[in-house]
Amino acid sequence: MNRRIKEKIKYTAGIIYCALVYVFLFLPIVVIVVNSFNATTSKPYLSWKGFTFAWYGKLFENTVLLASFGHTVLLAVVSTLLSTAIGTLAAVGMYKYHFKGKGLIDGLLYIPVVIPEIVLGISLLTVFAKASVPRGMITLVLAHVTFSIPFVIFNIRARLSGYDNSIEEASMDLGANRVYTFFHITLPVLAPGIGGGALLAFTLSIDDVIISYFTNGQVKTFPLKVMESIKSGVAPDVNALSTLILVGTSLLVILTQSGIFSKHKK
Amino acid sequence: MKKKKNFRGNTLPALVMVGPVTLWLLLLVAVPLIYVVFMTFCSLDANYNLVFTFTLDNYKRLFDANYVQIYAQSLLIAFSTTLICIIAGYPFAFLIARVFTKKKAILYMLVIIPFWTNSLIRIYGWRTFLGSSGWLNNMLTKLHIISEPAEFLFNRGTIILGMVYCLIPYMILPLYTAVEKLDKSMIEASKDLGAKGPATFLKVILPMTASGIFSGSIMVFIPCLGYFFVADILGGGKSDVIGNLIERQFQSGNNWPLGAALSVILIAITLLLVKIYQICGGDMENLGV
């Protein structure tokens, strides 16, 4: 066989293979989006009864569902801000200073990354119970920051490996103090790493099921609300909300990727 | 005076920067895990209150035949999931990183986008697709391939499918990074020296991307043991993983010391696998993203 045809066949096979993997990855999402337009009104909302936009309207009457989404957003924003602040300070501090116990911090950082989420979830639950911390939004934030911090730090570290300390020295030689230097020199240089870490923290937070399940008390996040409704069948308004979230986050990321991030890329 | 300057110069900023994370990790990672291990030696009184008695009963109960069967099943599911993720994910990562290079940024992004829809509802999407009145059954009956709706759900196979679905990105992303770093000239050198395609793959490409396979395997295998909701939704409560056993002790079963002891199994497996990973030369930092 002609070599060129052979290459062509190989290339086409490659395209087909990749397409199949994407079909696998996106199939349930297609199911969710299609079912958000399903006119069925009887549980478990599975059979197709025609096309409707009605669920998008009903969604805004379902205050319990909307409240759960509000909890998820609040939780994600607060825990992302906290974990990014703590993680940025820690990553820079651990890069610049040498001190006793650094190895211990490093070791502790790997734990939330490798340990099964359920173990982290139940261990936080038992400690909150022991310390009589009432479970709710505060314990959720504590838990989410805990599993996000390592990812933020690792992201920034990757950026720090090529970091030139002399630009900070130059800033201080020119009379800037330490705090001014941190905000005006160190942070802008690390911005892509910090942004990437924050995005990851946010993504992990909105998707988290297991750790929230053990630390939430009475506060239902959106994933936990979905979990609750699975037994009786997930209503199409949940699908409608999921579709809106997907569209919203996609837009947000496309905007940030093309806007903020490219500014610092160079 | 000099000492004071050193404090302001180095110790104070170091403390401000690293202090918060240290405190956080000690209070919310170290202390909770130590407390869980401590709890395994406790027992419950008649009112379900924890009492410290130093008992080994919780560990003895781990050898219950029903539990042992679930550990075996859980490990089998995790092994199969990891293997499928490697076999399916490797060629995919290779293609998007090295063949379709012009579009690789978009193709990479498309692997991450599914994460933005909650994983629970995506798993439920699979249940809708595979269910007895689901899309697949409808399609197959309309095409007259089957006459009666078949039961695709609620067996070990569907749990593995769900696990692969949830976890394959964690295999693809490190593989992608490893493949992208491959030095093209090494592959060319191998071919110039007369190695055929398979030989180049086995002797050059595979060893150079092994780090991606290792870190991907850790990131797939370990969570698999704990993802109780996948087994719940797609397994219908018939086949469990270790995560289900733990979850039950902390919810309906309400036996925290036993749940803690079951968690110690997961901690032990994690430590063992991470140790093997490090011995094989794996870099802990690669597990982060």
Side-chain angles (χ1 to χ4, degrees):
Chain A
M1 202 194 303
N2 186 320
R3 201 195 155 104
R4 218 151 137 213
I5 297 173
K6 225 174 171 177
E7 284 294 310
K8 187 101 194 158
I9 290 173
K10 260 190 186 168
Y11 192 79
T12 318
I15 292 177
I16 293 171
Y17 183 74
C18 283
L20 283 175
V21 174
Y22 285 119
V23 167
F24 176 70
L25 289 176
F26 281 88
L27 187 107
I29 295 178
V30 173
V31 173
I32 293 161
V33 174
V34 170
N35 261 346
S36 74
F37 299 109
N38 190 350
T40 178
T41 48
S42 55
K43 289 180 178 181
Y45 311 104
L46 288 178
S47 44
W48 182 255
K49 293 273 155 58
F51 184 91
T52 179
F53 277 114
W55 291 107
Y56 286 83
K58 282 191 188 142
L59 167 63
F60 292 95
E61 289 159 23
N62 190 343
T63 46
V64 181
L65 185 63
L66 288 179
S68 76
F69 178 61
H71 294 148
T72 290
V73 173
L74 177 69
L75 171 61
V77 169
V78 174
S79 62
T80 301
L81 288 176
L82 264 173
S83 59
T84 307
I86 297 172
T88 306
L89 282 175
V92 177
M94 287 175 78
Y95 178 75
K96 277 170 71 167
Y97 303 104
H98 295 274
F99 49 89
K100 266 187 220 158
K102 205 172 179 176
L104 176 75
I105 302 179
D106 251 333
L108 286 174
L109 272 179
Y110 295 124
I111 292 179
V113 178
V114 291
I115 206 138
E117 287 162 81
I118 191 167
V119 177
L120 196 61
I122 61 108
S123 60
L124 286 169
L125 165 68
T126 55
V127 161
F128 290 148
K130 180 75 191 168
S132 317
V133 184
R135 265 159 278 151
M137 190 45 97
I138 292 180
T139 48
L140 278 171
V141 168
L142 291 174
H144 281 224
V145 172
T146 305
F147 69 68
S148 301
I149 283 179
F151 292 96
V152 173
I153 293 182
F154 295 156
N155 242 286
I156 297 172
R157 257 190 210 169
R159 186 83 194 168
L160 272 168
S161 59
Y163 185 70
D164 186 358
N165 243 329
S166 58
I167 54 167
E168 282 186 16
E169 283 159 20
S171 157
M172 291 180 37
D173 284 347
L174 291 168
N177 66 22
R178 207 178 277 276
V179 176
Y180 186 91
T181 305
F182 182 78
F183 280 103
H184 288 86
I185 305 293
T186 319
L187 276 192
V189 172
L190 296 179
I194 298 170
L199 189 65
L200 198 58
F202 192 85
T203 310
L204 291 172
S205 174
I206 55 169
D207 192 41
D208 177 69
V209 179
I210 298 180
I211 292 172
S212 305
Y213 180 71
F214 291 102
T215 50
N216 72 321
Q218 296 303 313
V219 178
K220 290 264 183 285
T221 63
F222 177 57
L224 294 175
K225 193 77 209 138
V226 174
M227 190 179 223
E228 203 181 64
S229 63
I230 274 176
K231 284 198 181 80
S232 56
V234 174
D237 54 354
V238 173
N239 291 336
L241 181 54
S242 304
T243 307
L244 292 180
I245 294 172
L246 180 70
V247 173
T249 36
S250 305
L251 285 177
L252 197 75
V253 169
I254 291 167
L255 286 177
T256 47
Q257 289 279 332
S258 55
I260 303 168
F261 284 89
S262 58
K263 245 191 234 166
H264 298 283
K265 235 171 197 164
K266 273 188 203 168
Chain B
M1 193 65 199
K2 196 164 183 208
K3 207 168 184 185
K4 202 177 168 197
K5 194 173 176 202
N6 192 35
F7 177 78
R8 290 208 45 160
N10 271 325
T11 316
L12 184 64
L15 213 63
V16 169
M17 297 182 103
V18 190
V21 81
T22 313
L23 205 64
W24 199 287
L25 292 172
L26 284 176
L27 286 180
L28 289 156
V29 177
V31 169
L33 286 176
I34 293 167
Y35 184 58
V36 162
V37 175
F38 167 79
M39 193 181 270
T40 60
F41 302 110
C42 294
S43 56
L44 296 169
D45 67 11
N47 299 319
Y48 289 97
N49 291 316
L50 273 179
V51 272
F52 180 67
T53 44
F54 196 81
T55 170
L56 288 174
D57 281 355
N58 298 309
Y59 286 100
K60 281 182 200 144
R61 286 190 61 185
L62 296 182
F63 296 97
D64 181 299
N66 291 325
Y67 285 178
V68 173
Q69 196 209 332
I70 290 175
Y71 311 149
Q73 170 164 274
S74 194
L75 289 172
L76 181 72
I77 290 173
F79 269 120
S80 323
T81 303
T82 311
L83 201 65
I84 294 171
C85 284
I86 295 174
I87 294 170
Y90 196 102
F92 177 76
F94 196 91
L95 285 165
I96 59 170
R98 295 207 74 95
V99 180
F100 308 129
T101 40
K102 272 183 202 154
K103 294 199 178 75
K104 72 178 170 188
I106 299 170
L107 294 174
Y108 183 89
M109 217 49 205
L110 282 174
V111 178
I112 299 174
I113 286 175
F115 272 93
W116 301 336
T117 307
N118 181 257
S119 51
L120 257 180
I121 195 160
R122 281 181 291 141
I123 289 297
Y124 188 76
W126 274 111
R127 182 154 128 181
T128 311
F129 182 78
L130 296 170
S132 53
S133 56
W135 294 18
L136 186 61
N137 266 315
N138 283 346
M139 226 151 47
L140 292 176
T141 28
K142 280 209 179 104
L143 294 170
H144 299 290
I145 295 170
I146 51 173
S147 51
E148 292 272 298
E151 183 64 280
F152 297 111
L153 284 173
F154 310 136
N155 57 53
R156 200 177 287 155
T158 39
I159 297 182
I160 295 174
L161 176 116
M163 294 286 186
V164 170
Y165 181 78
C166 282
L167 295 165
I168 200 170
Y170 293 98
M171 180 65 79
I172 292 174
L173 300 184
L175 280 175
Y176 175 91
T177 313
V179 171
E180 207 189 17
K181 275 191 208 142
L182 262 181
D183 192 350
K184 204 177 176 186
S185 56
M186 297 284 273
I187 303 171
E188 278 160 9
S190 160
K191 283 187 178 150
D192 287 347
L193 292 170
K196 289 250 165 25
T200 304
F201 178 74
L202 284 177
K203 297 212 165 130
V204 180
I205 299 175
L206 200 57
M208 286 174 73
T209 49
S211 65
I213 300 179
F214 284 146
S215 51
S217 301
I218 292 266
M219 297 305 283
V220 170
F221 190 92
I222 297 174
C224 219
L225 303 170
Y227 270 23
F228 62 87
F229 66 87
V230 177
D232 266 345
I233 300 173
L234 295 175
K238 275 187 250 166
S239 342
D240 286 336
V241 294
I242 301 177
N244 295 84
L245 291 178
I246 298 173
E247 186 252 346
R248 230 166 281 145
Q249 298 314 321
F250 281 89
Q251 301 289 336
S252 53
N254 213 4
N255 187 343
W256 289 18
L258 179 59
L262 287 160
S263 304
V264 168
I265 298 180
L266 288 190
I267 296 174
I269 294 176
T270 306
L271 289 177
L272 180 74
L273 290 178
V274 168
K275 196 77 217 159
I276 295 173
Y277 174 72
Q278 284 172 326
I279 290 171
C280 293
D283 182 356
M284 288 303 285
E285 213 88 331
N286 287 342
L287 297 178
V289 197

